[in-house]
């Protein structure tokens, strides 16, 4: 039976963006499934002591930029360290990913496309029209995805997934769980891969 990687992440997380393709590669190589679970950044930070980047002490802000540049090179992914539309509300984008997940789409592909739209293309993923466009570009029915994304059901699912994450000890993004073992940060993907390889 294939293992499952539970993947919790913020829709506006640069490190989720930087790790997304590598996560997909690892899962494909080891025959694992990925359970895509976007969670709300504001609630997660508020309940676990997280601090938004702009409110962190300058040395922490500076080092974050070093890491972003380093991992952008490592993953060969273009990234704007201070994109035009960041931070922005994450509800519509998360609802779109959850809609794709529930309706038989490709939630990981859509999540990466939305993350890339923010961090590589400097598009506003809080804007419904942008979400519709990105969903269409990623092979989904953009209009249907957007309608579902903004529904009460999808927003309730977003809140429920966030609550689930908090109850499981999640406090950052990206966060992966395999067989109950947590891995925080895309820079832990090599360790996650070793776990999958060990069987």
């Amino acid at each position: 039976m294939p293992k499952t990687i539970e993947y919790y992440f913020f829709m506006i997380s640069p490190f989720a963006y930087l790790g997304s393709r590598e996560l997909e590669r690892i899962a494909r190589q080891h025959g694992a499934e990925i359970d895509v679970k976007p969670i709300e950044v504001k609630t997660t930070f508020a309940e676990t002591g997280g601090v938004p980047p702009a409110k962190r002490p300058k040395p922490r802000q500076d080092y974050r930029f070093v890491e972003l540049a380093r991992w952008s090179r490592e993953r060969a992914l273009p990234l704007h360290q201070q994109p035009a539309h960041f931070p922005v509300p994450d509800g519509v984008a998360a609802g779109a990913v959850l809609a794709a997940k529930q309706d038989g789409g490709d939630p990981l592909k859509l999540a990466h496309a939305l993350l890339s739209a923010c961090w590589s293309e400097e598009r506003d993923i809080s804007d419904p029209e942008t979400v519709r466009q990105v969903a269409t570009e990623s092979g989904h029915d953009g209009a249907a995805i957007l309608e579902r994304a903004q529904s009460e059901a999808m927003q309730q699912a977003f809140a429920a997934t966030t609550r689930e994450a908090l109850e499981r000890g999640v406090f950052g993004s990206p966060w992966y769980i395999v067989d109950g073992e947590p891995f925080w940060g895309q820079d832990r993907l090599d360790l996650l891969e070793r776990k999958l390889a060990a069987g």
Side-chain angles (χ1 to χ4, degrees), residues 6-187:
E6 295 178 86
Y7 172 39
Y8 295 97
F9 64 102
F10 306 146
M11 291 302 314
I12 56 172
S13 165
F15 293 105
Y17 162 62
L18 290 168
S20 182
R21 291 299 190 208
E22 180 67 2
L23 172 65
E24 183 179 28
R25 181 199 67 77
I26 289 169
R28 184 171 57 248
Q29 181 170 331
H30 296 276
E33 298 177 351
I34 302 172
D35 190 358
V36 180
K37 299 182 175 185
I39 59 174
E40 188 184 17
V41 58
K42 186 175 180 180
T43 300
T44 304
F45 276 8
E47 297 198 20
T48 63
V51 178
K55 294 185 178 180
R56 295 171 189 168
K58 190 174 184 302
R60 289 180 178 268
Q61 293 188 43
D62 291 345
Y63 188 73
R64 175 175 173 274
F65 291 139
V66 170
E67 283 283 87
L68 289 175
R70 177 181 293 146
W71 283 104
S72 176
R73 291 192 301 270
E74 179 70 19
R75 301 288 189 215
L77 288 171
L79 179 140
H80 294 277
Q81 293 190 0
Q82 296 179 288
H85 302 284
F86 173 83
V88 294
D90 48 6
V92 177
V97 170
L98 289 168
K101 178 179 178 179
Q102 292 190 10
D103 297 345
D106 189 335
L108 185 65
K109 183 177 182 180
L110 180 53
H112 183 78
L114 287 163
L115 288 161
S116 180
C118 175
W119 292 99
S120 173
E121 303 159 25
E122 295 196 284
R123 296 160 76 182
D124 182 1
I125 64 168
S126 70
D127 173 56
E129 177 58 19
T130 299
V131 171
R132 184 196 67 76
Q133 291 172 357
V134 174
T136 300
E137 291 161 10
S138 66
H140 295 84
D141 182 335
I145 285 282
L146 178 60
E147 182 177 0
R148 287 271 284 146
Q150 298 180 100
S151 70
E152 184 177 353
M154 286 303 98
Q155 293 307 304
Q156 287 179 348
F158 184 32
T161 303
T162 303
R163 181 55 46 195
E164 170 192 297
L166 291 167
E167 290 174 354
R168 300 186 71 186
V170 175
F171 56 79
S173 168
W175 192 283
Y176 319 99
I177 299 177
V178 177
D179 290 341
E181 182 177 348
F183 300 82
W184 174 35
Q186 65 88 31
D187 53 345

